[in-house]
Amino acid sequence: MMQDSQSMPSGQDVKDYWDRRFGHESSLLHSIRSQSELAGLPNIHIPIHLGRFLYLLAKIQAPQKILEIGTLGGYSTAWLAQALPPKGQLISLEINPHHAEKARENLDQLKDVQINIRNGHAVDLLAQLVDSKEGPFDLIFIDADKENNALYLDWSIKLSQPGTLILIDNLIPKGSKVGYPLNEEAKSIYAFNDYLAQHPALETAVITTLVGPQAKLDGLAISYVKNANSK
Ligand code: SAH
Ligand code: DHB
Ligand code: MG
């Protein structure tokens, strides 16, 4: 780790160090990152070591059915899918047809499990999942457009059972500093955090994360569903 006698390691140093020591990335996962980059997808997938963390959380949960909101190139999808048993199911929702198509290609090798990437606005696709009674899911990962997180959480609880884990990425906005005028995305994220913190159906803990190429400070919520279908 980069360090001199005067200073602590930076966020970037720590992120790179965790990724190298504890990323334990398979060749499939590595190739999903490089293929996504080649295809010009934005470099906003979860960090390697956070993928490992989500995978282990999922493994402890022993899920049969996983739901993801926000697929991008399928990087987080592949980490979560590796925690499924044979014939386990993962549905991932993605609004951008180019992202959805690239993700399908990237995930083609994962044959033991059923991965279904659905293209559309997550709000519409979540309503369809409820209508068609495709729930409940054992684990739900919310990682799409942050302004809609409160809606995604409400739908996710409808698609849960007691004991479902709901994981939510990016609880800290990038565009505005605390104490300065907030942009709209930042306002909605902080309002969502207040909603999440007080939600009576959930027990929630947060961890601090280091995301993106610049290892920016961010947060991930881990919410345990106590009562499904309640507000
Ligand atoms: N989970 C991915 C990263 C997702 S980035 C990973 O860590 O590998 C966020 C994704 O959400 C983008 O692909 C974006 O196109 C998608 N998205 C944005 N708004 C959406 C919406 N309304 N419905 C579904 N997907 C959306
Ligand atoms: C960014 C990071 C994310 O994890 C995400 O889901 C969306 C955007 C970002 O750093 O801009
Ligand atoms: Mg994210």
Side-chain angles (χ1 to χ4, degrees):
M1 190 182 293
M2 294 277 292
Q3 191 171 9
D4 61 44
S5 56
Q6 301 293 310
S7 68
M8 295 288 292
S10 69
Q12 186 79 66
D13 293 335
V14 172
K15 175 175 182 267
D16 293 345
Y17 177 71
W18 288 155
D19 284 350
R20 282 197 306 273
R21 289 295 182 288
F22 293 100
H24 302 296
E25 195 183 43
S26 65
S27 58
L28 172 68
L29 284 157
H30 186 272
S31 92
I32 294 178
R33 277 194 302 120
S34 42
Q35 291 302 316
S36 299
E37 197 181 329
L38 274 176
L41 267 49
N43 188 2
I44 55 173
H45 58 76
I46 47 168
I48 303 169
H49 71 276
L50 190 63
R52 182 74 177 175
F53 185 84
L54 298 190
Y55 158 76
L56 263 185
L57 272 184
K59 195 165 162 158
I60 294 163
Q61 180 75 350
Q64 291 289 332
K65 285 168 90 165
I66 296 177
L67 174 65
E68 176 177 67
I69 309 174
T71 319
L72 191 62
Y75 184 69
S76 53
T77 320
W79 272 112
L80 292 170
Q82 290 188 3
L84 281 171
K87 302 217 165 73
Q89 254 186 298
L90 192 159
I91 296 174
S92 188
L93 314 180
E94 173 57 54
I95 198 167
N96 182 316
H98 177 55
H99 295 178
E101 193 45 46
K102 196 68 214 166
R104 287 190 192 107
E105 260 173 65
N106 282 341
L107 297 164
D108 191 47
Q109 284 180 49
L110 284 170
K111 300 264 189 241
D112 290 351
V113 293
Q114 298 171 39
I115 299 182
N116 182 207
I117 312 290
R118 298 194 184 172
N119 184 211
H121 195 300
V123 168
D124 302 330
L125 296 171
L126 286 161
Q128 282 172 23
L129 283 169
V130 170
D131 280 350
S132 58
K133 298 193 166 58
E134 287 176 88
F137 294 87
D138 308 299
L139 187 147
I140 302 176
F141 180 43
I142 302 179
D143 191 22
D145 51 326
K146 315 309 166 191
E147 292 89 341
N148 281 319
N149 270 354
L151 279 174
Y152 297 154
L153 181 63
D154 290 348
W155 282 111
S156 293
I157 293 170
K158 290 193 176 64
L159 290 161
S160 292
Q161 57 194 337
T164 293
L165 275 188
I166 302 179
L167 310 173
I168 309 151
D169 198 23
N170 310 117
L171 300 185
I172 300 295
K174 300 296 171 302
S176 312
K177 268 195 176 178
V178 177
Y180 286 77
L182 297 177
N183 64 25
E184 289 309 308
E185 185 187 49
K187 279 185 205 162
S188 75
I189 293 177
Y190 288 122
F192 172 73
N193 290 344
D194 293 344
Y195 178 59
L196 179 63
Q198 300 301 327
H199 204 297
L202 304 172
E203 288 188 292
T204 298
V206 290
I207 61 163
T208 300
T209 55
L210 298 164
V211 306
Q214 295 168 312
K216 290 192 176 156
L217 280 173
D218 206 325
L220 175 87
I222 304 170
S223 296
Y224 177 92
V225 178
K226 290 186 293 182
N227 318 300
N229 303 311
S230 73
K231 281 290 181 81

